[in-house]
Amino acid sequence: MPLVSDGEASVQTLYTGVSRGTESLVARGEVPESERERMRAPFQAGEFPFPVKYGYLNVGTVEHGPAALRGRTVFALFPHQSRFVVPADALHPVPDGVPPRRAVLAGAVETAVNVLWDAAPVIGDQVVVVGAGMIGCAIARVARGIPGSDVTLVDVDPARAIIAEALGVGFALASDDVPQADVVIEASGAGAGLQLALGIAPTDGEVIVASWYGSRPVSLELGADFHSRRIALRPNQVGAVAARRRGSRTTRNRLALALRLLEDPAYDALLSGTSSWRQLSEVTAALAEGTAGELCHTIDWTAE
């Protein structure tokens, strides 16, 4: 049993989630050298490039620690590991109405909150999210809660229409004639998705870029009406609170908000397959090869 000092807590992991976009880049060694310090997971072990112990979607039960946390289900930005000890303030209590497996989506919903703080949609806006992966779907579901909003997910995979329906939002294929929108968010992880997002952004509008491409170059066509329509590209990264809320919110209360939002059972649509912890090396290999599932694959640490 790990030793626990004052101010620390030991956690037995129940589930971890695979953040496919980032963890695929890590597994392929595609974290740019200039970003290696910024892209460290909070409790990462080892140094980039791969192999490193990486991950940040961990849900477990507190075994030992402060009385207020003992026996509680908690979320932590900790890698894939069966048991661990961290400072107690690194743990975030999971609301009673959120099942442990769903709680691994806290990182995705926290990213969605941050993106929407930057995008700032308002009542009645037409919102288009390009890319129906885990992050894009989370953004779409959070945006759906804005009164009068009309939210559409765009993807190259027609099978994503089923997930969009479960999330209560519209769906369009990237090959369709997607109309211009008031708010455009790109979360596809593909240059073609970013190009499409530029085409549907409103004049004098902007595209919020939620994708992170690692060391891969992205080519864009910036001729035609790009300049005359004055389209802006604005990146969003969850490592810092969006500028519009940075003076009033912290990363801790942003994550607490994400966990409360996960009381919504619709987010279960983002949970795809699950594997025993014994298969973690196979899941990592699939990430490196690009054959892993595109939504949230979970690792079950309760399996014998």
Side-chain angles (χ1 to χ4, degrees), residues 10 35 47 82 103 105 176 206 256 270 275 287:
S10 66
E35 300 304 303
E47 303 296 331
S82 59
L105 293 167
D176 292 346
E206 64 183 9
L270 306 189
S275 300
L287 286 169

Side-chain angles (χ1 to χ4, degrees), residues 92-162:
H92 304 264
V94 174
D96 292 339
V98 181
R101 185 168 178 248
R102 190 191 303 160
V104 303
L105 293 167
V109 176
E110 182 186 19
T111 300
V113 168
N114 209 52
V115 167
L116 289 166
W117 279 346
D118 252 345
V122 296
I123 292 172
D125 268 354
Q126 303 277 333
V127 180
V128 172
V129 182
V130 179
M134 180 173 70
I135 299 300
C137 286
I139 293 168
R141 182 63 185 180
V142 176
R144 178 189 178 276
I146 300 167
S149 64
D150 184 355
V151 182
T152 301
L153 272 170
V154 179
D155 202 89
V156 295
D157 183 359
R160 290 285 184 255
I162 297 171

Side-chain angles (χ1 to χ4, degrees), residues 20 58 72 131 137 160 167 191 199 236 268 293 299:
R20 181 183 179 274
N58 188 305
R72 289 292 306 268
C137 286
R160 290 285 184 255
L167 295 172
N236 182 281
D268 286 338
I299 305 298

Side-chain angles (χ1 to χ4, degrees), residues 162-246:
I162 297 171
I163 295 166
E165 183 179 6
L167 295 172
V169 302
F171 179 80
L173 281 171
S175 57
D176 292 346
D177 185 16
V178 183
Q180 288 190 357
D182 301 301
V183 176
V184 180
I185 298 163
E186 187 275 320
S188 68
L194 184 53
Q195 189 72 59
L196 185 150
L198 286 171
I200 60 177
T203 297
D204 293 315
E206 64 183 9
V207 174
I208 302 297
V209 182
S211 294
W212 186 60
Y213 295 91
S215 59
R216 289 173 295 153
V218 175
S219 298
L220 295 174
E221 296 176 12
L222 299 180
D225 61 356
F226 173 75
H227 288 83
S228 63
R229 290 175 55 225
R230 300 177 298 280
I231 307 301
L233 285 172
R234 186 141 60 94
N236 182 281
Q237 210 276 339
V238 75
V241 172
R244 285 192 171 103
R245 294 292 179 272
R246 202 167 297 166

Side-chain angles (χ1 to χ4, degrees), residues 247-293:
S248 59
R249 305 297 175 90
T250 66
T251 54
R252 186 169 186 87
N253 53 42
R254 184 183 63 185
L255 184 51
L257 170 60
L259 285 164
R260 293 199 303 274
L261 291 172
L262 281 169
E263 292 178 341
D264 177 1
Y267 286 103
D268 286 338
L270 306 189
L271 297 171
S272 48
T274 191
S275 300
S276 163
W277 60 272
R278 296 179 183 276
Q279 298 169 294
L280 181 57
S281 60
E282 298 167 25
V283 173
T284 302
L287 286 169
E289 294 165 3
T291 58

